[in-house]
Amino acid sequence: MIKAQKIQKSYGSLLVLSDVSFSLGRGQKAALVGRNGTGKTTLLKIVAGLEEPDAGKIVIARDVCIGYLPQDTNFLGNESIMDYLRQVSGIDALEKEMETLSVDLNNPENAKSYDKVQSKYEHLGGYSFAHKVEVMLSGFGFEDVPLDRYVSNLSSGQKSKVVLAGILLKGVDLLLLDEPTNNLDLPALIWLEDFLQKSEASCIIVSHDRRFLDRVVRKIFELDWHTHTLTVTGGAYSDYLEMAAKRMTGQKEEYRLQQEEIERLSERVRAKKADAAKGAHWTGSDNDKFLRGFKRDRAGKSSKAAKAIEKRIEQMDKVEKPVERKPFEISLEAEADSGTLDVRLTNVVAGYPGTFSIGPLSLEARYGDRIGIMGLNGTGKSTLLKTITGQIGALSGKVEISSGIKIGNMMQEHETLPRERTLLEFIAERTSFSHQDSYAKLSKFGFDERQAGLPISTLSPGGRSRLLLALFSAQSVNMLVLDEPTNHLDLEALDALEETLETYRGTVLLVSHDRYFIEKASLDTTYVLSDGILTKIPDYKTYVESAEKRARKLLKLL
């Protein structure tokens, strides 16, 4: 269906893609993986035809319909949800064309064209389009949102769902999805998984959600941060991770053994050359002419042997030294006395006067508790976290936060980062660290000396997340508030954060749709926020099972 041939792409002096080649057949689903900044989004845009490569080409089969989901969905206009879906799916244009052609069906050419357009209309399910829209939006948790609502008034998560629904409704042959899971709640994520598993469309998916990739893809395209090339691996995502780890271990061992062999042979060369030099300069007495000749003859043989060994080393098929980044570690030390009451909400109504509110609700969290809050997009999870952290005041009720609490709030800090300040200035100003200590802290979180002196505005969302984690480490925060923390962290940073949470002694308040991350977080208590009410459930797996049953039921209606 699609073939990429020797794609090259640079931005100025920055090389992004080098000699990238791959192929994808009909119905195949591949994950495009790599560290942040390796060019995944750039490659998707080139495949989608939105950017031109500097060299190489993309070959796509005829009549292939491509659907591209970007990370940013703020491009939507001012039409209603239904109008947008009718337009982007092509249903609106087909209906208008059928209406025009139907005026004169006695004309053979018109009749032939009408049949062709009608066939396409039926293929897209045009006669049952309203039903398909209803079912699909229900799958994405949109059943309570009026279809005449303007898309410009939707939240970012809701916009992502509408854009994704529009792409799926137009019957695409090739799906290019850039972080489709970032703005989806868990039920919508499970619905999308099940839909893609049953879909005959080919897919290239950029995502950090390991459970999602494991269930959907059976091919891995890996972009290498060092060489900027692409490697293709077959199998599930977890198989790829296992093979990649084994490949690195094997390459390191192969390199070590070859270096030992080279050192052993080099030592023999040095010994032979020393013998040759010693024999060539041996003089002895006049009566030792026979012995002198023997010594010089042996020296010549030693010299020849040394050259032969050197040639053997030179002709070796050298094993390239594995290039590894310095392991990314997150050091978070919580400072607080255990047993103190950290957070208490009593009959709190949270939200914004006259527009949106949740509650009344009550919640308690003691030092060291790990609490997860689940719920659909738009139910007020972020509003609740903003109320707890003091970003917005409660409309009524009482919010009590212990005076010794130091909160590390990923969501709030992301919104208020001073983009014009350099990374070094930011850490130094917020912690009173010296220039040297600030750089040392940034270095531990994957920032080199050049990056440390750049403005925060130059960082990717993942880079900003790592900067905040560096700040929290420097401040020794004892309560982490994490609102969808996995959205912008690459897998290396995610692994480090998960390892940190295993030993972190402070309180954790978590909103996430990433099942793998939730499992690693080892939640003590799980709540579901729905219809303004906070309900405690046995564990998050109960919530997942309920979402899976609902997704399967809705898919049968399509």
Side-chain angles (χ1 to χ4, degrees):
M1 173 178 282
I2 177 173
K3 184 177 288 186
Q5 299 175 341
K6 299 183 178 298
I7 299 297
Q8 304 266 1
K9 185 68 178 179
S10 298
Y11 294 103
S13 60
L14 178 64
L15 177 64
V16 179
L17 302 172
S18 174
D19 199 24
V20 168
S21 299
F22 65 85
S23 63
L24 192 69
R26 290 191 180 276
Q28 289 187 322
K29 296 172 176 62
L32 178 58
V33 302
R35 291 185 173 98
N36 285 350
T38 53
K40 301 186 294 294
T41 294
T42 299
L43 183 55
L44 280 190
K45 287 182 176 179
I46 290 173
V47 175
L50 300 176
E51 287 197 20
E52 290 293 325
D54 299 332
K57 62 180 179 178
I58 301 289
V59 181
I60 300 176
R62 289 181 60 188
D63 299 326
V64 168
C65 179
I66 298 176
Y68 170 62
L69 176 73
Q71 287 192 46
D72 184 8
T73 56
N74 287 321
F75 58 85
L76 296 180
N78 205 31
E79 61 269 80
S80 70
I81 294 172
M82 179 56 91
D83 286 344
Y84 171 80
L85 294 176
R86 284 176 56 81
Q87 179 185 337
V88 76
S89 65
I91 289 294
D92 193 50
L94 290 171
E95 285 183 353
K96 289 177 181 176
E97 193 172 358
M98 286 166 62
E99 185 179 351
T100 301
L101 292 169
S102 66
V103 173
D104 186 13
L105 290 179
N106 291 325
N107 182 322
E109 286 298 319
N110 273 19
K112 186 177 178 180
S113 297
Y114 183 89
D115 288 342
K116 188 176 180 180
V117 174
Q118 187 182 43
S119 177
K120 190 173 182 180
Y121 185 74
E122 289 175 345
H123 175 70
L124 289 178
Y127 292 110
S128 59
F129 187 73
H131 171 72
K132 287 184 69 175
V133 167
E134 184 182 331
V135 173
M136 187 160 290
L137 292 182
S138 292
F140 285 128
F142 239 75
E143 60 266 56
D144 295 330
V145 179
L147 294 178
D148 59 357
R149 179 180 291 183
Y150 288 112
V151 290
S152 57
N153 294 332
L154 300 176
S155 68
S156 58
Q158 291 172 328
K159 286 178 180 177
S160 291
K161 290 178 178 181
V162 171
V163 173
L164 193 49
I167 292 171
L168 299 181
L169 283 166
K170 71 177 183 177
V172 298
D173 304 299
L174 175 62
L175 276 166
L176 306 174
L177 306 177
D178 196 355
E179 298 290 4
T181 65
N182 270 6
N183 291 312
L184 296 182
D185 45 51
L186 192 49
L189 175 56
I190 290 170
W191 152 262
L192 179 60
E193 276 179 3
D194 288 351
F195 183 93
L196 293 178
Q197 284 177 325
K198 291 176 171 58
S199 171
E200 295 179 0
S202 302
C203 299
I204 301 178
I205 304 169
V206 174
S207 177
H208 297 139
D209 192 308
R210 288 149 290 190
R211 286 278 188 271
F212 178 78
L213 292 180
D214 242 356
R215 291 189 63 186
V216 174
V217 307
R218 288 299 175 267
K219 203 169 188 177
I220 310 296
F221 297 156
E222 178 189 14
L223 281 172
D224 186 273
W225 66 275
H226 179 64
T227 64
H228 309 287
T229 57
L230 184 140
T231 304
V232 181
T233 307
Y237 183 68
S238 55
D239 297 331
Y240 150 76
L241 291 177
E242 188 176 336
M243 284 189 288
K246 287 181 179 178
R247 185 171 65 235
M248 176 58 74
T249 301
Q251 190 179 352
K252 283 160 65 173
E253 179 63 12
E254 192 178 354
Y255 176 79
R256 184 187 69 79
L257 291 173
Q258 187 177 74
Q259 290 302 303
E260 287 182 357
E261 176 65 4
I262 290 172
E263 179 57 33
R264 184 184 71 81
L265 293 174
S266 298
E267 183 59 37
R268 286 184 60 191
V269 168
R270 287 190 288 271
K272 292 292 184 184
K273 285 184 174 180
D275 287 345
K278 186 177 178 183
H281 295 95
W282 193 85
T283 54
S285 64
D286 290 340
N287 296 325
D288 293 330
K289 291 180 181 178
F290 177 78
L291 182 58
R292 184 164 59 245
F294 171 76
K295 292 276 189 182
R296 288 178 178 174
D297 182 58
R298 193 169 73 174
K301 289 181 179 179
S302 292
S303 180
K304 286 181 181 179
K307 289 178 180 179
I309 296 171
E310 283 180 326
K311 190 171 183 180
R312 179 179 166 188
I313 294 173
E314 185 181 324
Q315 292 179 340
M316 271 186 181
D317 188 9
K318 298 292 193 302
V319 177
E320 192 172 330
K321 184 178 181 180
V323 180
E324 291 186 280
R325 275 187 172 181
K326 184 180 177 182
F328 182 56
E329 298 178 356
I330 297 176
S331 173
L332 279 178
E333 297 288 337
E335 293 183 358
D337 295 326
S338 61
T340 59
L341 184 65
D342 285 340
V343 178
R344 176 186 287 157
L345 275 64
T346 307
N347 295 323
V348 167
V349 174
Y352 306 90
T355 56
F356 174 80
S357 66
I358 56 174
L361 48 84
S362 298
L363 173 73
E364 284 191 4
R366 290 186 176 274
Y367 176 72
D369 283 352
R370 295 177 176 229
I371 296 174
I373 300 174
M374 309 295 158
L376 299 177
N377 286 349
T379 54
K381 302 187 298 296
S382 295
T383 299
L384 176 57
L385 295 190
K386 286 181 178 180
T387 305
I388 291 173
T389 56
Q391 283 180 267
I392 60 174
L395 298 178
S396 63
K398 192 175 183 181
V399 178
E400 298 173 274
I401 306 292
S402 175
S403 60
I405 296 304
K406 294 181 183 177
I407 297 177
N409 185 346
M410 291 280 284
M411 173 179 60
Q412 179 184 6
E413 295 289 359
H414 258 295
E415 294 171 354
T416 59
L417 277 171
R419 303 301 175 94
E420 75 287 352
R421 310 298 282 170
T422 69
L423 278 62
L424 276 172
E425 289 170 341
F426 174 72
I427 294 295
E429 290 168 2
R430 297 289 291 271
T431 62
S432 299
F433 273 22
S434 67
H435 183 281
Q436 184 176 352
D437 289 342
S438 295
Y439 174 68
K441 179 62 70 175
L442 288 168
S443 179
K444 286 185 178 181
F445 284 76
F447 297 106
D448 59 32
E449 189 172 2
R450 182 189 67 86
Q451 290 173 310
L454 292 176
I456 293 173
S457 60
T458 63
L459 294 178
S460 66
R464 294 197 295 272
S465 293
R466 284 192 286 118
L467 175 63
L468 291 177
L469 290 170
L471 174 66
F472 296 162
S473 173
Q475 293 176 332
S476 299
V477 300
N478 48 34
M479 179 174 175
L480 278 175
V481 178
L482 304 174
D483 190 357
E484 302 292 2
T486 65
N487 276 3
H488 300 298
L489 293 176
D490 60 22
L491 288 169
E492 182 184 28
L494 273 178
D495 287 340
L497 181 57
E498 286 160 359
E499 288 179 16
T500 298
L501 288 180
E502 287 181 7
T503 56
Y504 183 66
R505 293 169 56 188
T507 305
V508 177
L509 190 55
L510 171 67
V511 169
S512 179
H513 61 256
D514 189 313
R515 287 154 292 178
Y516 188 88
F517 184 80
I518 294 170
E519 287 174 11
K520 297 287 282 187
S522 301
L523 299 176
D524 299 313
T525 311
T526 306
Y527 292 91
V528 172
L529 183 58
S530 178
D531 297 323
I533 304 300
L534 199 60
T535 306
K536 186 176 179 180
I537 60 174
D539 55 46
Y540 97 97
K541 290 180 180 179
T542 303
Y543 184 65
V544 172
E545 289 169 2
S546 174
E548 288 175 342
K549 289 178 183 177
R550 184 173 180 275
R552 286 192 294 268
K553 183 178 178 181
L554 285 169
L555 277 173
K556 291 178 181 178
L557 299 176
L558 275 178

